[in-house]
């Protein structure tokens, strides 16, 4: 309107008027100025509208417990079902979204093409529908699949940790950013490029980005997962979030860690392989209009180094134990867990727990039970194993993961769930006071 009122906005006279040349040049110049002004105003309006659009929230959810989670096996791209407990975890996650995520409506659900993630996504959508929420579409993509574990796929984790002939190499494959297990051979019992497995993957991925044979890996590092997930983040997920859509991503531990590396740029390579993403526990990112992470939100629970908050009480309990706010529990912090269940570590049966009994159970026995990723060796042992520098996400040298006697949030949740189920052979019955 302001431009329309400017003196040069009037229309030029008809050709019959035959204005002098200088007048025609004046009208041409005025028309160009007016067009340029209108273009600037249109661009300003578009940028203002974009700035006024509140980005949607990103909800990350690891699938419920699978059959191989329960058995302690390397799963990767193998398609295994949820356990009954895993199905219940999916329903509980949906309940947390309904009761603790405020008025968040889920507009779109993205998931991998593996059955355990698809089933978890389906159970969440069904719970939303039963509670009167509009059911969002479920969009599978192979880019959200779990990290491929190569020749380790299908092996028992604890048995492999104890018997592998080169423990240092095994830890490097599992706990570093760039470590990659040996590739799966064609005679592997769970060969990922077998005709039947390729057909099943393509059937689940029918409406997504086409899946070529060479897109199915035979081994991967966390770095490879980041490279696989990044195009999905940049081309589909981030634009949807910035447009105001709330998106639920149902995936897998390492696939979601790779997505975290895209969302939160300040997570270093050393921390990435052990980020806490327990089964069935929603994790929510809030974004600024420029795509950066909004952090922190008042009244929400965070576990460092993540700048996304967890729903539910587990995060609050963990942080109460994590006195130094490191994001992992040390030997000393685990003493609190033992004291809360001292009767179960009364080794001599005298009704009391000696300091030696307490220290022993909270040291070797507890860490052995809770430390499922095998990083409970000392730094000296780690150095002797020959660890050295490797390349970071941006090509810069970085330190590989240095094992410490720490139990991260993921291990804590897995251990605590075993306590609640009364797993055989555990040293602690419960610390639920």
């Amino acid at each position: 309107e302001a431009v329309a009122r400017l003196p040069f906005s009037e229309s030029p006279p008809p050709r019959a008027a035959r204005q002098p040349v200088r007048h025609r040049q004046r009208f041409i110049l005025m028309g160009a100025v007016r067009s340029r002004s209108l273009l600037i105003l249109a661009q300003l309006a578009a940028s203002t509208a974009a700035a006024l659009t509140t980005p949607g929230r990103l909800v990350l959810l690891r699938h419920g417990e699978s059959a191989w989670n329960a058995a302690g096996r390397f799963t990767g791209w193998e398609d295994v079902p949820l356990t009954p407990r895993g199905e219940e975890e999916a329903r509980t996650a949906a309940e947390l979204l309904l009761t603790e995520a405020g008025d968040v409506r889920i507009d779109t659900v993205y998931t991998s093409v593996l059955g355990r993630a698809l089933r978890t996504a389906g159970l969440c959508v069904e719970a939303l529908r039963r509670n009167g929420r509009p059911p969002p579409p479920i969009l599978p993509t192979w880019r959200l699949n779990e990290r491929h574990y190569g020749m380790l796929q299908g092996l028992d984790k604890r048995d492999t940790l104890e018997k592998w002939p080169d423990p240092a190499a095994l830890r490097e494959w599992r706990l570093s950013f760039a470590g990659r297990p040996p590739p799966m051979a064609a005679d592997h019992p769970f060969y990922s490029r077998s005709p039947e497995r390729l057909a099943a993957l393509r059937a689940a991925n029918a409406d997504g980005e086409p899946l070529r044979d060479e897109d199915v890996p035979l081994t991967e590092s966390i770095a490879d997962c980041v490279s696989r997930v990044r195009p999905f983040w940049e081309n589909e997920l981030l634009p949807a979030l910035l447009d105001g859509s709330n998106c639920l991503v149902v995936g897998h531990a390492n696939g979601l860690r790779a997505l975290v590396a895209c969302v939160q740029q300040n997570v270093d390579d050393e921390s990435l392989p052990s980020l806490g993403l327990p089964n069935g526990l929603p994790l929510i990112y809030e974004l600024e209009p420029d795509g950066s992470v909004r952090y922190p939100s008042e009244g929400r629970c965070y576990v460092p180094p993540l700048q996304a908050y967890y729903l539910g009480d587990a995060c609050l309990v963990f942080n109460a134990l994590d006195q130094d706010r490191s994001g992992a529990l040390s030997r000393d912090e685990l003493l609190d867990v033992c004291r809360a269940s001292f009767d179960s570590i009364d080794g001599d049966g005298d009704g009391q727990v000696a300091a030696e009994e307490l220290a022993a159970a909270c040291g070797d026995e507890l860490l052995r039970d809770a430390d499922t990723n095998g990083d409970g060796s000392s730094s000296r042992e780690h150095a002797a194993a020959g660890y050295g520098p490797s390349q970071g996400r941006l090509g810069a040298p970085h330190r590989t993961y240095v094992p410490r006697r720490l139990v991260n949030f993921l291990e804590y949740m897995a251990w605590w769930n075993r306590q609640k189920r009364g797993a055989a052979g555990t040293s602690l019955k419960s610390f639920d006071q």
Side-chain angles (χ1 to χ4, degrees):
E1 291 176 357
V3 172
R5 289 195 296 270
L6 293 175
F8 57 76
S9 64
E10 55 190 87
S11 301
R15 288 184 180 180
R18 292 200 173 271
Q19 297 287 342
V21 172
R22 65 178 182 275
H23 286 182
R24 291 199 301 272
Q25 290 175 337
R26 174 173 173 266
F27 281 118
I28 292 172
L29 177 60
M30 288 179 177
V33 171
R34 182 186 183 190
S35 298
R36 178 61 178 166
S37 301
L38 290 173
L39 176 62
I40 292 173
L41 286 176
Q43 291 172 337
L44 179 62
S47 61
T48 302
L52 293 175
T53 300
T54 301
R57 277 183 265 193
L58 171 60
V59 183
L60 305 184
L61 179 64
R62 184 184 175 191
H63 61 79
E65 180 189 70
S66 73
W68 281 13
N69 287 150
R73 299 172 71 178
F74 291 101
T75 309
W77 278 52
E78 187 62 16
D79 207 359
V80 298
L82 295 181
T83 63
R85 176 179 180 81
E87 299 211 350
E88 185 58 34
E89 286 175 339
R91 295 185 185 96
T92 301
E95 184 65 24
L96 286 172
L97 287 173
L98 288 164
T99 59
E100 294 194 18
D103 57 351
V104 175
R105 74 186 189 288
I106 300 298
D107 299 301
T108 307
V109 178
Y110 295 100
T111 181
S112 83
V113 300
L114 298 174
R116 55 195 185 272
L118 283 164
R119 177 62 174 160
T120 300
L123 289 169
C124 287
V125 169
E126 176 59 22
L128 295 175
R129 186 194 63 78
R130 285 199 311 269
N131 283 271
R133 304 288 182 93
I138 299 176
L139 305 179
T141 170
W142 58 269
R143 290 192 177 275
L144 288 173
N145 276 18
E146 175 61 299
R147 172 194 181 183
H148 198 291
Y149 278 106
M151 67 176 296
L152 300 180
Q153 206 151 285
L155 297 181
D156 180 271
K157 292 182 179 180
R158 282 200 175 277
D159 191 54
T160 304
L161 285 170
E162 292 172 1
K163 298 179 181 179
W164 196 262
D166 188 351
L170 184 62
R171 281 194 291 268
E172 177 72 13
W173 300 336
R174 297 192 66 208
L175 303 177
S176 72
F177 180 71
R180 185 186 293 138
M184 177 183 282
D187 61 352
H188 193 285
F190 304 108
Y191 186 58
S192 299
R193 292 184 186 172
S194 68
E196 61 273 14
R197 286 183 172 83
L198 285 173
L201 289 169
R202 290 194 173 109
N205 187 66
D207 297 325
E209 179 184 352
L211 177 66
R212 304 167 300 174
D213 288 9
E214 57 267 31
D215 291 327
V216 178
L218 297 177
T219 185
E220 282 183 310
S221 64
I222 298 291
D224 295 328
C225 286
V226 174
S227 298
R228 167 160 55 87
V229 169
R230 190 175 295 281
F232 165 73
W233 163 250
E234 294 178 346
N235 300 330
E236 186 160 358
L237 184 54
L238 179 59
L241 292 165
L242 295 182
D243 198 39
S245 293
N246 295 309
C247 300
L248 169 62
V249 176
V250 181
H252 311 264
N254 288 301
L256 292 177
R257 287 174 182 136
L259 183 55
V260 166
C262 300
V263 178
Q264 188 180 327
Q265 298 295 320
N266 63 347
V267 176
D268 60 60
D269 299 345
E270 180 182 316
S271 301
L272 198 61
S274 59
L275 289 180
L277 293 165
N279 296 98
L281 192 62
L283 182 68
I284 300 181
Y285 275 103
E286 295 182 349
L287 301 181
E288 300 288 356
D290 64 357
S292 61
V293 178
R294 180 183 299 165
Y295 168 83
S297 292
E298 186 177 356
R300 295 299 187 177
C301 186
Y302 298 84
V303 174
L306 290 175
Q307 293 179 344
Y309 57 84
Y310 292 96
L311 300 182
D313 296 332
C315 174
L316 299 171
V317 176
F318 181 84
N319 282 339
L321 295 170
D322 183 19
Q323 298 169 14
D324 62 2
R325 299 290 291 139
S326 65
L329 303 182
S330 67
R331 185 187 190 110
D332 291 338
E333 288 167 337
L334 284 171
L335 282 168
D336 291 338
V337 178
C338 293
R339 290 193 183 100
S341 186
F342 68 89
D343 60 321
S344 64
I345 53 174
D346 180 14
D348 56 14
D350 63 359
Q352 296 182 353
V353 179
E356 293 78 8
E357 293 173 326
L358 187 64
C362 289
D364 299 332
E365 195 171 353
L366 177 59
L367 283 171
R368 185 167 54 249
D369 193 28
D371 179 27
T372 55
N373 68 7
D375 66 355
S377 60
S378 68
S379 296
R380 181 178 299 175
E381 291 168 344
H382 185 56
Y387 280 75
S390 59
Q391 293 299 109
R393 287 201 296 277
L394 301 179
H398 74 98
R399 292 182 296 115
T400 51
Y401 190 85
V402 179
R404 295 161 290 175
R405 287 195 172 276
L406 297 176
V407 173
N408 62 43
F409 186 51
L410 175 61
E411 292 175 316
Y412 159 80
M413 286 298 298
W415 174 81
W416 172 231
N417 284 329
R418 289 198 302 275
Q419 308 312 305
K420 291 193 293 185
R421 293 200 298 269
T426 184
S427 62
L428 300 178
K429 296 174 184 175
S430 170
F431 63 93
D432 183 8
Q433 296 185 326

